[in-house]
Amino acid sequence: MERNTTPWWFIITLDILVLGYLFAAMYQAHHHPEEFTSIFLKTFLGLLLPTLIAALGIRRWLRRTPA
């Protein structure tokens, strides 16, 4: 069984970023209750998807770099 070599600080940083994105999306959507869902999804996914793509690349780089 292979041990997870992703650093703990990287995972915690991603978790905090996702919570921040959730907060920002809820805040933006709160200002437009008639279009809440669409604004929430545009904001949240617009922030989340590029971050997850970058995180995959950074995670590969961190796993390849000797500790």
Side-chain angles (χ1 to χ4, degrees):
M1 186 166 85
E2 184 178 324
R3 184 171 176 241
N4 185 4
T5 57
T6 305
W8 62 269
W9 55 266
F10 182 71
I11 295 169
I12 291 175
T13 302
L14 280 178
D15 289 344
I16 291 170
L17 276 173
V18 171
L19 285 173
Y21 295 162
L22 184 61
F23 174 79
M26 292 293 286
Y27 182 77
Q28 289 294 325
H30 172 74
H31 291 296
H32 306 281
E34 64 282 350
E35 298 175 10
F36 187 90
T37 303
S38 64
I39 291 177
F40 173 80
L41 288 174
K42 284 179 188 176
T43 304
F44 185 65
L45 294 177
L47 292 169
L48 184 66
L49 292 177
T51 301
L52 290 180
I53 292 168
L56 286 173
I58 293 170
R59 182 174 177 246
R60 282 185 177 186
W61 178 75
L62 286 172
R63 292 180 81 179
R64 196 174 7 185
T65 305

